[in-house]
Amino acid sequence: MSESTLIINRPFALKQKDGKPVWTEIKRSDERLKEIEEKGIDKKYYDGWYDKYKKYLKDNVREIKINHELNLGKLERIIITPNANGYISTSFFEFLQLNNVPIYWINGKGMVESCFTPTYFKRPSIIIKQCEARISGKNVEIVKYLIKLKLKSEGMEHLIPKLNKLKSIKEILQVEGNASRDYYQQWKFDDIWGWDGRHGRTSINANAIDPINSILNLGYGILAQQMSGILMKRGFELSIGFMHHSETSKNYWNMLTYDFIEPFRVWIDNNMKKMIKKKEIKPSDFTYNEYKTSMVLKNKALKIGLNNFTDTLKPLEYHSLPIIRQVESML
């Protein structure tokens, strides 16, 4: 378990014990036997004890509860996967609230399905400026700034002169969309991956039918949640985006977040490519849901993806704060 990220992938309890926050890992005794066998022991030193213990565990399958005391001073987030069935006590939520530790719930498709985000303060002055920027047109220059950073990160600098001449969000979105299409078209993978490109923020991506889009969904989702926490600490209202904006969407409460993650999507892209190159993940680590309508990450792919992406995103706050401060100065 990482000190900064707790990934829960099995039955669990998050509770208070003796006045301290505790993660209770719930295992079956036959699982414990499997762990012992995988670890390996030198049976000659156990003089028949191992075989007796093995028979006992098989004949008396029961729950084993292992308590882990949590250091919420170092813990930055908790991620709960589809395999994790359990409960969280109200006292544990109080610990999270006090220490600003969020929880993300990941579904089988690799999407962040819901989250608990401790309440950060709001800065009325900056929220008013967010609204005014959409009225005055300042949002156009802010969006240009963020998309320039994205184009540079993707090796699309040749489009920046064209971007500089644009005067509306609609025009910027067209250029950004074309750049993204060209960027993804450059990607080459073996046919076994079934890659035919990225399709934008649509239901096609939410219900990805190939492993690469599935793992990207997971990475982009973690990126967005972490960026939301950073922006909330600065006092922004996340529903007011400069580029991403909707009065009707029920799926995205954090529109502003999707403005700010644009320059950092390449972090997820590069990490995904590295996992494939190193053969950390393979197509057989993914499968279809029961209706064959979307791809589901098996336990291995989910665990490897979460560990890789959370590790990659550790310096996100350090690298994003200069960009956020620049946007604040433009309001």
Side-chain angles (χ1 to χ4, degrees):
M1 181 185 72
S2 166
E3 284 192 315
S4 62
T5 301
L6 169 59
I7 299 173
I8 302 178
N9 202 33
R10 61 179 311 105
F12 74 98
L14 293 171
K15 60 188 181 181
Q16 178 261 114
K17 183 177 176 61
D18 299 327
K20 297 177 181 178
V22 171
W23 164 46
T24 301
E25 186 179 13
I26 303 173
K27 296 183 177 182
R28 287 161 46 102
S29 54
D30 51 349
E31 288 182 285
R32 177 59 181 153
L33 175 62
K34 185 177 180 181
E35 288 178 355
I36 293 172
E37 292 177 334
E38 288 177 349
K39 186 176 181 180
I41 62 172
D42 193 336
K43 296 180 183 178
K44 70 181 180 182
Y45 292 112
Y46 286 84
D47 192 26
W49 169 87
Y50 175 78
D51 292 329
K52 292 178 182 178
Y53 184 54
K54 183 176 179 180
K55 184 177 186 306
Y56 171 78
L57 289 179
K58 283 186 175 180
D59 295 343
N60 299 274
V61 176
R62 58 188 175 85
E63 284 189 347
I64 299 175
K65 296 183 179 179
I66 306 169
N67 290 327
H68 306 275
E69 187 176 321
L70 297 174
N71 183 349
L72 295 186
K74 294 184 178 180
L75 187 65
E76 296 178 4
R77 69 196 60 85
I78 296 171
I79 299 176
I80 298 178
T81 75
N83 295 325
N85 299 313
Y87 76 90
I88 307 172
S89 71
T90 54
S91 59
F92 192 85
F93 275 112
E94 291 174 3
F95 285 123
L96 300 183
Q97 187 80 27
L98 183 63
N99 291 273
N100 289 331
V101 177
I103 302 178
Y104 312 154
W105 280 268
I106 307 291
N107 65 23
K109 295 185 287 187
M111 307 289 286
V112 179
E113 196 166 43
S114 59
C115 67
F116 164 77
T117 303
T119 303
Y120 293 104
F121 77 101
K122 302 286 187 182
R123 286 168 61 192
S125 61
I126 203 165
I127 295 172
I128 290 171
K129 289 179 179 179
Q130 283 180 256
C131 296
E132 290 176 340
R134 291 192 58 87
I135 298 170
S136 67
K138 285 184 179 180
N139 64 321
V140 173
E141 293 306 314
I142 291 171
V143 171
K144 281 184 182 180
Y145 168 66
L146 294 172
I147 297 303
K148 283 179 189 177
L149 295 175
K150 180 182 182 179
L151 294 177
K152 288 179 181 178
S153 72
E154 295 178 344
M156 296 284 176
E157 295 95 334
H158 63 281
L159 294 175
I160 291 178
K162 182 177 182 179
L163 182 70
N164 288 333
K165 298 175 183 178
L166 304 181
K167 297 182 179 180
S168 72
I169 296 296
K170 183 178 180 180
E171 291 175 322
I172 295 171
L173 285 172
Q174 288 176 342
V175 170
E176 187 270 338
N178 291 334
S180 292
R181 181 198 62 211
D182 293 344
Y183 167 69
Y184 287 118
Q185 282 182 348
Q186 295 174 10
W187 292 10
K188 303 296 181 184
F189 301 97
D190 292 339
D191 291 342
I192 56 174
W193 288 98
W195 167 255
D196 68 347
R198 189 75 177 164
H199 308 287
R201 293 175 65 210
T202 67
S203 61
I204 296 175
N205 279 341
N207 296 288
I209 57 173
D210 67 276
I212 291 176
N213 272 304
S214 296
I215 202 75
L216 288 177
N217 283 344
L218 177 65
Y220 294 153
I222 298 297
L223 168 61
Q225 292 301 321
Q226 292 195 29
M227 183 62 78
S228 292
I230 295 167
L231 291 170
M232 290 177 78
K233 285 191 285 187
R234 299 293 295 183
F236 282 94
E237 171 51 58
L238 300 191
S239 65
I240 305 172
F242 301 119
M243 175 171 60
H244 298 95
H245 176 71
S246 173
E247 294 288 343
T248 58
S249 176
K250 298 179 180 179
N251 297 321
Y252 296 98
W253 59 279
N254 49 355
M255 292 288 182
L256 183 67
T257 295
Y258 286 88
D259 293 349
F260 278 94
I261 67 170
E262 295 296 353
F264 298 101
R265 287 181 181 270
V266 70
W267 289 19
I268 300 300
D269 302 341
N270 291 340
N271 192 262
M272 176 274 298
K273 293 175 184 177
K274 183 178 72 174
M275 283 189 278
I276 290 177
K277 185 177 181 179
K278 290 186 174 182
K279 298 184 178 179
E280 295 179 50
I281 57 172
K282 51 186 182 294
S284 59
D285 295 324
F286 302 78
T287 189
Y288 285 101
N289 65 3
E290 59 179 317
Y291 303 108
K292 307 292 184 183
T293 56
S294 64
M295 187 67 69
V296 176
L297 288 76
K298 293 182 181 178
N299 187 50
K300 179 183 175 183
L302 189 62
K303 184 177 180 180
I304 290 174
L306 286 172
N307 283 321
N308 272 281
F309 291 138
T310 52
D311 187 57
T312 294
L313 293 172
K314 282 181 180 178
L316 180 64
E317 185 163 11
Y318 173 79
H319 286 278
S320 64
L321 279 178
I323 296 173
I324 295 170
R325 293 191 185 105
Q326 176 62 27
V327 170
E328 290 173 346
S329 72
M330 298 171 71
L331 288 171

